[in-house]
Amino acid sequence: MNNLKVIMVMFDTLNRHMLPPYGCDWVKAPNFVRLAERTAVFERSYIGSMPCMPARRELQTGRHNFLHRSWGPMEPFDDSMPELLKQNGIYTHLATDHQHYWEDGGATYHTRYSSYELTRGQEGDPWKGEVQDPEIPESLGGHEFMPNLVRQDWINRKFMREEKDFPQARTFASGIEFIRANATQENWYLQLETFDPHEPFYAPQRFRDLYPHDYKGKHFDWPPYAPVRETREEVQHVRFEYAALVSMCDHYLGQVLDLMDELDLWKDTMLIVNTDHGFLLGEHDWWAKSHMPYYNEIANTPLFIWDPRSGVRGERRKSLVQMIDMAPTLLDFFGLKIPEDMQGKPLRDTIASDVPVREAALFGIHGGHVNCTDGRYVYMRAPISTDNQPLYEYTLMPTHMRSLFAPDELQQIELAEPFTFTKGVATLRIPARKAQSTHPFGTMLFDMEQDPLQEKPIRDTEIEAAMERMLIGLMQQNDAPREQYVRLGLDVSVG
């Protein structure tokens, strides 16, 4: 098999529990059903570093980054999968409407590809310029802290009058254009990536019509990152709005599947359909992500892979896999060496016959709970103090999501000793910004076999001690900074 190609269709905020192949019986997504019939479907795919750009750093580098860094750019010492492919004669193309790529905290990612096409207009992307304020309906959402983002979003929506104008539609059109133009060529990787179904949940009317309901409340398609305070009717309405956007994603996924059928790409093209994380739609009395423990609605992600080498289709896989496995899997598919600093594992044998690649998975967000799972138990280790200290950023690229580090953040800057993965390079050690701490939630342990919805944390000193040892071992493998153990109250001697 010489004419190798890979298509990755990546969604943002795609909830596994809202997809028919994972048991949802009311969201209309027939192409996801069709996809599951053509691929290996993973039951225990877990996030690693959260949220959007930290996950994409994992996609490129094959290693966790949340213990050392919050949202930030690719670093000079990072191994970049698309860049390694490019350097070894594999053409890489990114077609995306994920606006975080062209913000301060993501501007070093898309330039790793051979070429890229950026589609504007998602969320509050500063796309169209209008001095006059737009008309904004009275809305729910609690977004007073980001008025400029909301203002820009309503300007952007004015330029989405027809379905073809929506960023997702334009992104898939550009991705399909690439596939048609290069179907007979060999050795390429396409990352076709849409920000949908990320909030705000704004979809063309025909997809919203799939979920008729009588809602007479305020405009509501953009849940806050906060506890649920809305009525049952309002919660159900926003779930329908999310479902409409999932159905839109399903429609455009179907176009890719149709094209693979038409061009007979199944014989030599790997297909990966994945997401960076899920989203709470009122479960556990929370909206969104980032500010609460990472329950499975966020952490346990959908993943579908077709590998033409094994031809496995319509089968389930129970092995623990993570985003860090994507880079090694792609490098292995093209016969390239996997860098030593990558922690992920190639999934060729896992796809073929469910061969495990790890005993446990590590996941979390910088400054939040640090979590691990062995597939049955999920252990969430909380900070032991209300001030969530000590906590530092290690970086040579001091930017946040949409801004540079401010001068006052850099007053206590130090030079840190190199980590095992920084290739002998020292990094800047910067005190982290005060962030919302998950300390009040406490440390929690869940038995997924007995409590799949994670409604009742268990108390079992023996199991917790074993999971604590597992967590310490995973942190040590990641060369976690010493202060992370202090912040979490972990005794390294028990690891």
Side-chain angles (χ1 to χ4, degrees):
M1 187 179 298
N2 298 316
N3 189 16
L4 297 178
K5 300 177 277 285
V6 176
I7 299 171
M8 176 182 287
V9 179
M10 187 173 181
F11 298 98
D12 194 299
T13 315
L14 182 62
N15 280 350
R16 157 195 160 111
H17 62 288
M18 298 285 274
L19 295 178
Y22 288 100
C24 182
D25 61 2
W26 64 274
V27 173
K28 296 173 175 58
N31 289 304
F32 276 100
V33 175
R34 177 180 164 201
L35 173 70
E37 294 169 350
R38 294 300 305 256
T39 60
V41 181
F42 286 79
E43 298 283 358
R44 291 178 175 146
S45 168
Y46 271 80
I47 61 170
S49 300
M50 284 284 290
C52 301
M53 295 320 294
R56 283 157 182 78
R57 189 173 171 205
E58 287 195 342
L59 172 63
Q60 291 206 20
T61 66
R63 65 174 299 113
H64 300 306
N65 60 79
F66 74 94
L67 291 170
H68 303 84
R69 186 71 167 95
S70 63
W71 188 299
M74 291 283 288
E75 299 279 352
F77 46 79
D78 281 346
D79 299 303
S80 165
M81 172 268 295
E83 193 157 57
L84 289 169
L85 293 176
K86 179 173 64 175
Q87 291 169 352
N88 285 275
I90 312 300
Y91 195 93
T92 59
H93 183 71
L94 173 67
T96 185
D97 60 14
H98 196 283
Q99 78 282 0
H100 295 310
Y101 280 113
W102 48 93
E103 294 171 340
D104 290 334
T108 55
Y109 288 79
H110 61 279
T111 47
R112 309 274 70 77
Y113 297 80
S114 304
S115 55
Y116 47 88
E117 189 164 358
L118 310 178
T119 299
R120 304 295 304 274
Q122 287 280 20
E123 198 186 35
D125 177 17
W127 175 36
K128 298 293 188 179
E130 290 193 358
V131 177
Q132 182 174 335
D133 288 338
E135 291 185 14
I136 301 177
E138 189 175 3
S139 305
L140 293 174
H143 300 305
E144 296 82 5
F145 67 97
M146 54 180 194
N148 292 337
L149 204 66
V150 173
R151 178 188 186 277
Q152 183 66 55
D153 181 67
W154 281 98
I155 292 172
N156 292 347
R157 293 189 194 202
K158 293 166 61 177
F159 296 88
M160 302 173 198
R161 304 184 189 283
E162 300 179 47
E163 184 176 326
K164 65 181 179 60
D165 302 326
F166 278 67
Q168 182 186 158
R170 291 184 284 134
T171 298
F172 272 83
S174 66
I176 287 171
E177 178 184 46
F178 178 89
I179 296 170
R180 285 197 177 280
N182 297 285
T184 60
Q185 302 300 305
E186 63 182 38
N187 295 332
W188 52 259
Y189 165 59
L190 168 65
Q191 188 172 320
L192 174 50
E193 178 185 343
T194 181
F195 194 59
D196 292 328
H198 191 288
E199 75 281 357
F201 307 141
Y202 180 47
Q205 189 62 42
R206 74 180 180 106
F207 298 108
R208 298 170 69 194
D209 288 343
L210 295 173
Y211 305 94
H213 60 288
D214 185 22
Y215 176 71
K216 297 182 174 63
K218 296 178 182 178
H219 180 88
F220 189 31
D221 63 11
W222 197 340
Y225 284 44
V228 174
R229 298 186 179 91
E230 291 74 14
T231 67
R232 180 177 298 181
E233 178 192 21
E234 291 162 346
V235 171
Q236 189 59 55
H237 169 69
V238 91
R239 286 176 175 170
F240 284 137
E241 297 289 84
Y242 177 85
L245 201 47
V246 171
S247 292
M248 182 181 185
C249 293
D250 179 82
H251 170 75
Y252 286 97
L253 168 66
Q255 292 188 353
V256 175
L257 300 181
D258 289 345
L259 193 58
M260 291 190 69
D261 289 343
E262 175 192 336
L263 301 177
D264 193 23
L265 293 176
W266 298 101
K267 66 180 184 298
D268 57 16
T269 304
M270 174 179 280
L271 175 66
I272 301 172
V273 179
N274 63 350
T275 189
D276 49 2
H277 52 72
F279 193 85
L280 290 174
L281 290 163
E283 301 90 353
H284 307 281
D285 296 322
W286 273 90
W287 293 116
K289 58 185 187 288
S290 300
H291 299 306
M292 75 297 292
Y294 280 157
Y295 300 105
N296 269 9
E297 288 87 353
I298 301 171
N300 189 192
T301 54
L303 175 64
F304 308 83
I305 304 180
W306 160 259
D307 187 340
R309 295 172 297 184
S310 62
V312 169
R313 53 186 292 176
E315 296 185 17
R316 299 275 166 163
R317 295 292 176 256
K318 295 187 179 299
S319 296
L320 275 172
V321 299
Q322 295 193 269
M323 182 67 83
I324 58 173
D325 298 323
M326 294 298 101
T329 297
L330 292 175
L331 293 171
D332 172 72
F333 184 72
F334 287 109
L336 301 181
K337 181 181 178 181
I338 299 169
E340 293 181 0
D341 290 332
M342 287 191 175
Q343 297 172 295
K345 304 296 181 183
L347 298 180
R348 177 173 184 163
D349 294 336
T350 311
I351 298 164
S353 56
D354 213 6
V355 175
V357 292
R358 63 177 50 80
E359 294 181 359
L362 177 72
F363 59 97
I365 190 172
H366 190 258
H369 277 91
V370 178
N371 315 277
C372 68
T373 181
D374 62 359
R376 174 172 179 177
Y377 298 101
V378 173
Y379 184 56
M380 302 175 171
R381 185 76 179 206
I384 61 171
S385 64
T386 56
D387 66 0
N388 200 25
Q389 294 298 314
L391 185 62
Y392 293 90
E393 302 261 13
Y394 295 89
T395 183
L396 292 174
M397 308 287 288
T399 74
H400 298 300
M401 181 194 298
R402 298 186 178 95
S403 66
L404 305 176
F405 274 49
D408 64 333
E409 294 181 86
L410 303 174
Q411 296 304 310
Q412 300 178 51
I413 199 168
E414 299 175 318
L415 204 59
E417 290 293 319
F419 290 99
T420 56
F421 57 88
T422 60
K423 300 174 176 56
V425 177
T427 61
L428 303 176
R429 183 176 185 259
I430 305 169
R433 291 194 302 189
K434 184 173 177 59
Q436 180 173 339
S437 174
T438 52
H439 167 78
F441 294 96
T443 294
M444 295 188 288
L445 175 66
F446 292 97
D447 183 344
M448 299 305 302
E449 193 173 282
Q450 301 298 321
D451 180 24
L453 298 180
Q454 295 174 304
E455 294 175 328
K456 299 177 182 178
I458 64 172
R459 298 292 181 187
D460 188 308
T461 55
E462 186 175 336
I463 295 174
E464 184 166 352
M467 296 301 290
E468 181 179 320
R469 290 192 296 271
M470 181 178 292
L471 179 63
I472 291 173
L474 291 168
M475 291 174 65
Q476 290 173 332
Q477 291 173 28
N478 193 232
D479 197 14
R482 295 175 185 173
E483 71 272 5
Q484 286 281 7
Y485 301 96
V486 177
R487 184 180 73 91
L488 300 170
L490 292 171
D491 182 357
V492 183
S493 66
V494 304

